Amino acid sequence: MTTEATAEATTEAPAAPREYSWRMPANWWTRNRHYFLYTVREFTALPLALWLLWLLVEIRRAGDGPARYAPHSSTAFVVFSVVVLAFALYHSYTFLTLAGTILHFKVLDRPVPARLIVLSQFAAWAAASVVVAFVLIWFAHE
Amino acid sequence: MDFESYDVLVVGGGLAGIRAAIAAVEANPRVRVGMVSKVYPMRSHTVSAEGGAAAALGPGDSFETHAFDTIKGSDYLADQEVVEAFVREAPVEIIQMEHWGCPWSRNPDGTIAVRPFGGMTTWRTCFAADKTGFHMLHAVFQTSLKYPQITRHDEAFVTKLLVEDSRCVGVVALDIRSGRFDAITAKSVILATGGLGRVYAFTTNGNICTGDGMALAYRAGAGLKDMEMVQFHPTGLPFTGILITEAVRGEGGYLLNKDGERFLKRYVPNKMELGPRDIISRAMTTEFEEGRGFEGPHGKYMHLDVRHLGEKVIDRKLPFMRELGREFLGIDIVTDPIPVRPVQHYMMGGVDANISGETPILGLYAAGECANVGLNGGNRLGSNSLPECLVFGAAAGRAAAHYASSARPVTANPVDAMLWDEARRVEAEYLEKKGGDERIGPIREEMQREMDAGAGVFRTKEGLSRLVRNLGGLRERFEKVRIDDSSRTFNTEIIAALELDFMLEVASVIAFTALAREESRGAHARRDFPERDDEHFLKHTLAFHTNTLAPRLEYSDVHITTFKPQARSY
Amino acid sequence: MPDKTITVRATRFDPERDREPRMQSYEVPFTDESMVVLDALNHVKSHIDGSLSYRWSCRMGICGSCGMMVNGTPKLTCNAFLRDYWPRPVVVQPLNNFPIIRDLVIDMDDFMHKLKSIKPWIIRKQELPLGAGEHRQSNEQIDDFRQFSECINCMLCYAACPVYGLNNEFLGPAATALARRYNLDSRDQGLKERLPVLGEAEGIWECSFVGECSVVCPKGVDPAKAIQQTKLDTTMRFVLPYGNRE
């Protein structure tokens, strides 16, 4: 051991000898089920974004007149769309479930239970979907 | 050579130490305070306190009854003017903790709630559910972060007090992470290092409770007062020694023997489960000896039953107990009784200090469990120790800051030499020693077994004499100890060796002082002297370090002001 | 009869000798069903190899010292029972995402700085004098922040957080939970002083809600909830000029 007196005031312990720094392993997301599901959740945003980009292109083309509007109808694209729909539903589900964690308010001085909040979110989602579907169908009939 | 120098240096980062540091700064904002702790402060053992903190807050309470309960609980070995000052300060400190964010449980009107506790005649124990110590420690530690005058030295182990011309001028500390010895000097030093429960095998105390401050002061020449007074808490979990709070009984829990009988009716008929800890621990031990305890894989035990309280009360008032039962025993205390038996819990004895925390060594102060200011006498009442840390921590902090403002600065030369000597001593005794063949672990375990056997709930001359002899043998073995770890970096084995050195020292003091007190008073129960003997032993024991294991013993008078000693029955 | 043993594989790293951590195996007698991983480490240190270094104290799950990776999961070793691993070996490593000082000891100074940065103390515009007694506070008001006040600073949440593992500038779970603890305390008026630290780029916004911090928390603190709630609060304050309380 060496003997040495501290030279100056510091609010923390004196400098220590070499430490072994943490290095995140590249495969960290495979090491735990939750990490994996989390990574999948984040990854699903990518195809979703691609699909939406495609939709934007379609809309733009539709703006040039009905003749230019030629939606993709290959089997591959339908399959892709269905998969993306599943991803979108999964995202909506995780997002809405989160509301139970995030939102906290009181009615008559009693905290509203998280389950009720989540339930109301899903109800609002369902209601919104019905309204959108109704509007679309109504437009289609015009 | 430069070295760290403060006005006030606090050794220990628990409730008493942090309270002292803040008090010093608030007494004089120009004071520079250092705080050395062998663990990060929030790891300190205050964190394990559960039940609560007593203070005569409410309109139905009075200073007089709190003082009387404390003095009667102490079996009249408390210094009464200290108790009287304590009960007046305790409510102020509880309010101060409230202002610092402690989440005290509340009455419906928003004021601080109180609960009943053992040996207290009225409800006066403030609580934060059943994690009172945890919440107090974190609140006071987090509050301490706002004072730039306080500089922490976390994970540094003090090996020696620097004493120059019979004045304490700092410490030598081993920085655990780097293995470097530092002299940390100060105009005044406050010891707040906590208890010594780890000298026993079966204890509620954490691994860090090794009597460091007591041993440091003892070796520096201060007296240790009433070290024979060791508290055994009635309700520890078998095997682990995890504390089941007295609040369980305060909230209405029953202690039952194997016949399902509330046996305390034979011992403390008027108080039952709310009797003081010393008497209930003796009652349980007696029941065990007479064959009325349960037999389990980890020895005899009793049942602590809260099933009749109902889930709602348990979850509101005792949630941590439910958690401990579930996590460590696999039982639900809502539906199952808790197995418990007496367990070492607290040290009434400690560094001889007065009401301001001053020790006989100039510039050296002590507070909290490591000190004996004369508050607890022969037996501490449950929930008096947390306010003790606050009241006497603050008192020591103020006194130390005051003394520092007029004390002359510390001079470098002798400190330098003392630092080198101490560093050389530790290196020679542990790191560079050749040929030792003893390990730390087995010596420590044997010491703990010997202390359980010889200095437990009941003591005898034979048992204590054997303990004294065996501790002598262990000290000889310790001289031949071998260290596996030669690294300087975070060498926890050398810390364990230094702690064992301290523990053997204080364990011997317990054994010798217990042997010398030939009466039964408070927690000190002698089978061969079952009566209290006010004529010969209404006195404090003072133990001083000598060149042998045996301390030099002196006795000093107990300060009695208002309450004349009378028979102690509940 | 008492021949039942369990293999403990522990990380060893001494910066004075080792370039990088290595694993060492010990055979430990498994004599009691109540034994925890920490008991096994203590047996190693007392009877087999005194040089094994780790932190511990209370062994009742409240001091927060003994957090380590046990078979890959952050745990308090005082509360990880050997019976749940036997007869397979139990692998004990220092907490992920932190620098290793020695063996099973991590460097947590980073957290100590972060803790201080969120000002974890009651901030008042005007201090109540001691003579005025306590602030009135109902048990329901305590319930608002109780969960977040239960944090024992054990660092398991940081070890579980891949965001912190990738970027240790991130304020992280426990520090945010403690900031929220004070922000929700009816006695506190320091929200405005804490928001800048929480709201900055490396504050709460790094969190992408993995949620693992709340899974491993031994005290049910749910730091993930604290972070998401803080995100909403910060946003609302931005969106609504008079949103939220002081």
Side-chain angles (χ1 to χ4, degrees):
Chain A
M1 301 221 171
T2 56
T3 310
E4 185 186 304
T6 325
E8 68 203 331
T10 54
T11 7
E12 306 301 330
R18 190 172 61 85
E19 294 177 346
Y20 187 77
S21 334
W22 169 256
R23 263 158 272 171
M24 197 74 165
N27 64 344
W28 65 268
W29 54 279
T30 61
R31 293 185 161 196
N32 169 319
R33 203 174 68 92
H34 290 114
Y35 292 172
F36 182 76
L37 290 177
Y38 157 79
T39 312
V40 167
R41 187 189 83 199
E42 299 295 293
F43 179 76
T44 52
L46 209 67
L48 203 57
L50 284 177
W51 193 91
L52 287 171
L53 222 61
W54 186 266
L55 183 67
L56 284 177
V57 171
E58 290 291 336
I59 290 171
R60 200 204 144 101
R61 289 207 300 207
D64 293 347
R68 293 268 291 144
Y69 179 63
H72 230 291
S73 55
S74 69
T75 321
F77 188 75
V78 171
V79 169
F80 177 63
S81 298
V82 168
V83 170
V84 165
L85 177 68
F87 286 171
L89 289 175
Y90 178 56
H91 257 278
S92 312
Y93 170 79
T94 54
F95 183 80
L96 294 177
T97 316
L98 209 57
T101 301
I102 297 175
L103 294 176
H104 59 109
F105 51 86
K106 292 179 176 180
V107 174
L108 299 175
D109 260 2
R110 299 175 69 118
V112 179
R115 280 250 296 282
L116 201 68
I117 295 176
V118 174
L119 219 62
S120 68
Q121 295 286 313
F122 276 97
W125 184 36
S129 301
V130 168
V131 169
V132 169
F134 183 80
V135 167
L136 285 180
I137 292 167
W138 189 69
F139 265 112
H141 273 284
E142 280 296 296
Chain B
M1 187 186 281
D2 297 330
F3 39 80
E4 195 80 74
S5 193
Y6 297 101
D7 297 305
V8 177
L9 180 68
V10 182
V11 184
L15 188 60
I18 303 173
R19 184 68 191 87
I22 296 177
V25 171
E26 299 218 313
N28 177 357
R30 285 195 307 277
V31 160
R32 290 188 64 242
V33 178
M35 193 161 84
V36 193
S37 172
K38 66 178 175 179
V39 289
Y40 284 103
M42 66 273 184
R43 314 298 189 210
S44 306
H45 198 64
T46 306
V47 83
S48 295
E50 295 168 354
L57 274 172
D61 203 352
S62 73
F63 296 142
E64 287 68 34
T65 51
H66 190 187
F68 176 68
D69 290 345
T70 301
I71 290 161
K72 183 180 175 186
S74 81
D75 221 347
Y76 295 92
L77 195 64
D79 288 320
Q80 298 189 1
E81 86 283 5
V82 173
V83 178
E84 282 157 5
F86 163 75
V87 297
R88 275 163 210 283
E89 272 307 299
V92 181
E93 288 293 331
I94 295 297
I95 298 294
Q96 177 66 80
M97 281 306 301
E98 198 278 341
H99 289 198
W100 285 341
C102 182
W104 296 116
S105 295
R106 305 290 177 142
N107 294 314
D109 68 353
T111 53
I112 296 172
V114 287
R115 64 168 33 140
F117 235 70
M120 303 283 187
T121 48
T122 185
W123 293 31
R124 68 162 63 94
T125 299
C126 312
F127 59 102
D130 53 355
K131 288 188 186 171
T132 312
F134 162 79
H135 283 300
M136 290 175 80
L137 180 66
H138 280 252
V140 79
F141 170 60
Q142 289 168 8
T143 299
S144 78
L145 297 175
K146 77 177 174 188
Y147 295 93
Q149 300 98 322
I150 301 174
T151 303
R152 290 202 327 275
H153 298 249
D154 295 334
E155 300 197 315
F157 186 92
V158 173
T159 66
K160 187 183 167 55
L161 297 180
L162 294 169
V163 178
E164 181 197 359
D165 295 337
S166 56
R167 173 187 168 207
C168 184
V169 294
V171 303
V172 174
L174 171 59
D175 178 62
I176 300 174
R177 198 186 290 196
S178 65
R180 194 186 59 223
F181 283 90
D182 294 322
I184 307 175
T185 64
K187 292 175 185 166
S188 56
V189 174
I190 301 171
L191 293 173
T193 56
L196 50 61
R198 282 280 153 175
V199 301
Y200 287 87
F202 192 57
T203 175
T204 63
N205 286 192
N207 183 48
I208 56 177
C209 301
T210 51
D212 306 345
M214 298 177 200
L216 287 166
Y218 181 61
R219 288 182 179 175
L224 296 183
K225 198 199 292 175
D226 299 335
M227 292 289 281
E228 62 276 28
M229 299 301 180
V230 180
Q231 181 163 79
F232 292 83
H233 194 291
T235 58
L237 296 183
F239 186 65
T240 55
I242 289 174
L243 173 67
I244 297 301
T245 172
E246 191 164 310
V248 169
R249 283 171 285 136
E251 297 296 341
Y254 298 144
L255 265 178
L256 304 172
N257 65 16
K258 78 164 199 264
D259 305 322
E261 175 196 34
R262 287 176 72 190
F263 58 92
L264 290 173
K265 66 187 177 201
R266 284 193 291 278
Y267 303 89
V268 276
N270 298 321
K271 283 271 187 185
M272 295 300 286
E273 277 80 3
L274 290 179
R277 290 172 177 173
D278 56 337
I279 298 178
I280 295 184
S281 287
R282 282 197 288 277
M284 290 172 77
T285 309
T286 305
E287 292 283 306
F288 290 153
E289 286 169 356
E290 293 174 0
R292 289 191 291 276
F294 296 89
E295 296 278 351
H298 308 114
K300 297 188 171 70
Y301 64 91
M302 292 295 182
H303 273 164
L304 180 58
D305 193 346
V306 291
R307 289 177 292 183
H308 55 286
L309 298 182
E311 188 166 5
K312 225 174 138 186
V313 170
I314 290 171
D315 280 346
R316 170 65 66 184
K317 300 275 186 69
L318 305 165
F320 188 39
M321 296 305 105
R322 195 174 183 190
E323 182 185 325
L324 288 176
R326 199 182 285 139
E327 305 257 305
F328 291 94
L329 289 176
I331 64 165
D332 184 350
I333 68 171
V334 172
T335 53
D336 306 298
I338 314 164
V340 290
R341 68 183 178 95
V343 55
Q344 194 284 340
H345 181 57
Y346 184 83
M347 183 57 174
M348 272 73 75
V351 181
D352 179 27
N354 69 11
I355 198 165
S356 307
E358 292 168 332
T359 73
I361 299 175
L362 191 63
L364 183 66
Y365 299 75
E369 189 174 347
C370 83
N372 181 328
V373 296
L375 175 70
N376 300 309
N379 174 60
R380 175 177 70 79
L381 288 190
S383 74
N384 264 353
S385 76
L386 290 171
E388 176 186 5
C389 289
L390 294 171
V391 169
F392 295 102
R398 289 182 202 117
H402 181 74
Y403 169 75
S405 63
S406 61
R408 64 176 198 281
V410 181
T411 44
N413 262 348
V415 167
D416 223 24
M418 284 189 280
L419 170 63
W420 277 103
D421 286 351
E422 177 62 5
R424 283 305 311 156
R425 176 188 77 86
V426 176
E427 282 179 28
E429 282 182 17
Y430 302 110
L431 283 172
E432 292 168 5
K433 189 159 64 187
K434 301 277 187 286
D437 56 356
E438 290 283 355
R439 305 186 68 94
I440 296 166
I443 299 177
R444 185 178 54 223
E445 284 166 13
E446 200 167 327
M447 171 194 69
Q448 292 168 335
R449 276 196 301 273
E450 293 290 340
M451 288 297 288
D452 277 10
V457 173
F458 286 107
R459 292 122 185 233
T460 62
K461 183 175 183 186
E462 291 68 43
L464 288 165
S465 307
R466 194 178 321 117
L467 177 61
V468 160
R469 271 198 313 279
N470 291 344
L471 287 173
L474 288 172
R475 172 54 78 178
E476 280 171 27
R477 283 174 59 190
F478 182 74
E479 305 299 327
K480 296 193 284 264
V481 86
R482 171 173 62 88
I483 303 271
D484 294 338
D485 194 347
S486 58
S487 174
R488 283 177 298 136
T489 311
F490 223 95
N491 185 330
T492 48
E493 197 182 18
I494 196 161
I495 300 300
L498 292 162
E499 287 173 339
L500 181 56
D501 180 25
F502 287 162
M503 285 195 285
L504 285 169
E505 195 86 89
V506 291
S508 296
V509 177
I510 293 171
F512 277 103
T513 53
L515 192 57
R517 186 177 281 274
E518 296 187 327
E519 64 154 356
S520 289
R521 179 187 301 273
H524 175 68
R526 288 280 298 258
R527 286 242 140 106
D528 38 356
F529 299 96
E531 299 301 321
R532 195 173 84 192
D533 179 359
D534 286 347
E535 194 185 328
H536 297 101
F537 286 106
L538 185 53
K539 285 180 169 22
H540 295 298
T541 312
L542 282 168
F544 293 94
H545 188 249
T546 64
N547 287 329
T548 69
L549 267 187
R552 176 171 59 79
L553 298 184
E554 289 180 12
Y555 291 87
S556 70
D557 287 335
V558 177
H559 301 183
I560 291 166
T561 57
T562 316
F563 305 101
K564 301 287 170 259
Q566 40 180 282
R568 179 170 172 251
S569 65
Y570 288 93
Chain C
M1 182 189 63
D3 304 315
K4 193 165 148 187
T5 62
I6 186 164
T7 307
V8 176
R9 301 188 64 218
T11 301
R12 303 303 311 268
F13 172 70
D14 177 359
E16 293 162 35
R17 287 184 190 79
D18 302 317
R19 288 185 59 84
E20 53 186 35
R22 59 198 162 82
M23 300 302 289
Q24 190 164 351
S25 286
Y26 304 96
E27 277 308 301
V28 175
F30 183 14
T31 49
D32 194 296
E33 285 299 299
S34 311
M35 279 176 75
V36 292
V37 172
L38 179 60
D39 293 327
L41 294 177
N42 285 340
H43 179 89
V44 171
K45 185 151 187 82
S46 286
H47 299 283
I48 303 173
D49 183 351
S51 70
L52 182 66
S53 278
Y54 50 95
R55 295 185 178 109
W56 72 289
S57 179
C58 79
R59 54 92 178 83
M60 56 186 282
I62 192 77
C63 80
S65 306
C66 69
M68 298 169 210
M69 306 299 294
V70 180
N71 285 13
T73 306
K75 290 250 187 210
L76 295 180
T77 52
C78 71
N79 194 9
F81 288 86
L82 292 179
R83 58 176 185 251
D84 297 337
Y85 303 97
W86 189 85
R88 289 184 309 165
V90 54
V91 182
V92 188
Q93 294 166 296
L95 286 178
N96 279 355
N97 302 344
F98 291 95
I100 304 172
I101 296 175
R102 168 84 196 267
D103 297 348
L104 300 163
V105 179
I106 52 134
D107 180 352
M108 59 174 280
D109 277 351
D110 179 49
F111 171 75
M112 300 305 281
H113 292 297
K114 283 175 173 152
L115 177 66
K116 189 173 175 179
S117 75
I118 55 108
K119 304 193 177 185
W121 51 79
I122 296 281
I123 297 172
R124 305 268 312 168
K125 293 200 185 89
Q126 188 136 36
E127 295 269 351
L128 194 64
L130 274 186
E134 66 265 54
H135 306 87
R136 298 297 171 98
Q137 189 171 45
S138 67
N139 286 317
E140 289 68 35
Q141 284 174 316
I142 298 175
D143 285 343
D144 288 344
F145 69 86
R146 183 191 306 284
Q147 181 177 33
F148 303 133
S149 75
E150 307 274 1
C151 171
I152 61 172
N153 305 175
C154 65
M155 301 294 103
L156 300 197
C157 55
Y158 283 83
C161 175
V163 179
Y164 183 70
L166 292 164
N167 172 13
N168 65 11
E169 296 288 310
F170 173 42
L171 185 58
T176 312
L178 285 163
R180 186 116 189 105
R181 172 250 173 278
Y182 283 95
N183 286 341
L184 290 176
D185 191 321
S186 59
R187 297 167 289 187
D188 182 80
Q189 301 167 329
L191 183 69
K192 268 189 182 160
E193 292 193 36
R194 291 186 199 101
L195 277 182
V197 184
L198 295 166
E200 73 186 23
E202 313 289 3
I204 50 172
W205 297 104
E206 280 290 304
C207 171
S208 49
F209 202 55
V210 182
E212 192 65 4
C213 52
S214 298
V215 174
V216 300
C217 176
K219 295 284 136 182
V221 172
D222 203 347
K225 176 161 120 183
I227 298 175
Q228 311 320 315
Q229 289 185 351
T230 307
K231 282 180 185 170
L232 186 70
D233 262 16
T234 330
T235 312
M236 293 309 270
R237 281 183 68 82
F238 182 73
V239 176
L240 309 170
Y242 301 105
N244 252 305
R245 65 176 182 83
E246 280 299 305

